[in-house]
Amino acid sequence: MEVLPNAEVAVSLPPARSFHDETLLLEALRQGDRGAAEALVEDTYEMVFRTLVRLSGDPDTAADLTQETYARAWKALDGFRGGSRFGTWLYRIAYTTYLNHVRRPQRFSSVDVEDLELPAPSDTGLGARLDAARLRRAVMALPENLRFCVTARFWGELPVRDIAVHEGITKVAIRKRLRRAVELLRQALSEDPSS
């Protein structure tokens, strides 16, 4: 195949983007580049959806909340200054979108945090579902700052460094929060399983 001089060649960015690439994509998105939006969604969709499935326990609800997360992110994009990675900022939007979903009145049926389940990823038996529901209730009962750190780290799989930057505190402080949260979860889960 012969390449003509000055011919335009389409270059696709690799799936794992550097911070520099992410900055360029965000700037292109602010300029209205639809391809940049699609690239950012492609990079972050799995993390957002997976987190929302774990939080809500329902893939259909998670799909709706994922769409709402991106809609909110695009509206708030001018407020994103790049102090953290885009994925970390987006995780916070997804997390807040979920909390708003749980708190708002439901048109068809009331959603109570205690009634929502988080299915076990490897086993769908009754015992696994009950254990997952207990874990989910225990996580949702944590104080907000601990709950966010636990869900961001373990369900969103965000690095401690990114969580620290987003929260505006040190990595040591995040690790302390995580240790405290794990301690509280162990206590809650060691109590009578019928509770």
Side-chain angles (χ1 to χ4, degrees):
M1 178 175 150
E2 184 178 337
V3 178
L4 300 174
N6 298 326
E8 290 186 24
V9 177
V11 177
S12 63
L13 296 172
R17 299 188 200 287
S18 70
F19 191 75
H20 177 72
D21 291 336
E22 186 176 271
T23 303
L24 292 175
L25 282 173
L26 288 166
E27 186 55 39
L29 177 59
R30 286 184 176 111
Q31 300 298 320
D33 183 340
R34 183 175 172 86
E38 290 171 359
L40 287 166
V41 169
E42 182 178 318
D43 284 351
T44 57
Y45 186 88
E46 183 181 335
M47 180 269 300
V48 171
F49 178 73
R50 182 182 60 236
T51 297
L52 290 168
V53 167
R54 288 177 175 167
L55 285 168
S56 70
D58 177 40
D60 293 331
T61 300
D64 292 342
L65 293 175
T66 298
Q67 295 303 314
E68 189 175 336
T69 296
Y70 283 102
R72 288 175 183 231
W74 300 152
K75 286 179 186 174
L77 190 60
D78 287 338
F80 178 64
R81 300 288 175 232
S84 64
R85 300 224 20 149
F86 177 75
T88 306
W89 178 74
L90 189 63
Y91 177 88
R92 178 52 116 169
I93 293 172
Y95 179 77
T96 303
T97 299
Y98 167 75
L99 291 179
N100 290 339
H101 167 74
V102 171
R103 291 176 184 148
R104 74 178 148 223
Q106 301 298 310
R107 284 181 263 180
F108 300 106
S109 63
S110 168
V111 174
D112 185 358
V113 172
E114 297 298 318
D115 295 335
L116 298 174
E117 289 185 24
L118 176 65
S122 61
D123 184 1
T124 58
L126 178 60
R129 285 193 304 254
L130 292 174
D131 287 345
R134 285 185 61 228
L135 174 60
R136 188 175 177 293
R137 281 193 301 274
V139 168
M140 296 311 285
L142 290 171
E144 166 61 24
N145 64 337
L146 299 181
R147 183 175 57 229
F148 176 75
C149 287
V150 165
T151 61
R153 179 69 189 110
F154 298 110
W155 291 352
E157 299 177 8
L158 296 176
V160 168
R161 172 185 37 84
D162 289 357
I163 300 167
V165 168
H166 182 272
E167 292 292 290
I169 58 177
T170 66
K171 292 186 291 187
V172 171
I174 293 297
R175 286 188 182 102
K176 285 181 180 179
R177 286 182 182 182
L178 289 170
R179 275 194 295 275
R180 177 70 180 136
V182 168
E183 179 183 314
L184 290 172
L185 289 171
R186 281 189 183 134
Q187 289 173 3
L189 296 172
S190 68
E191 294 173 359
D192 181 39
S194 63
S195 61

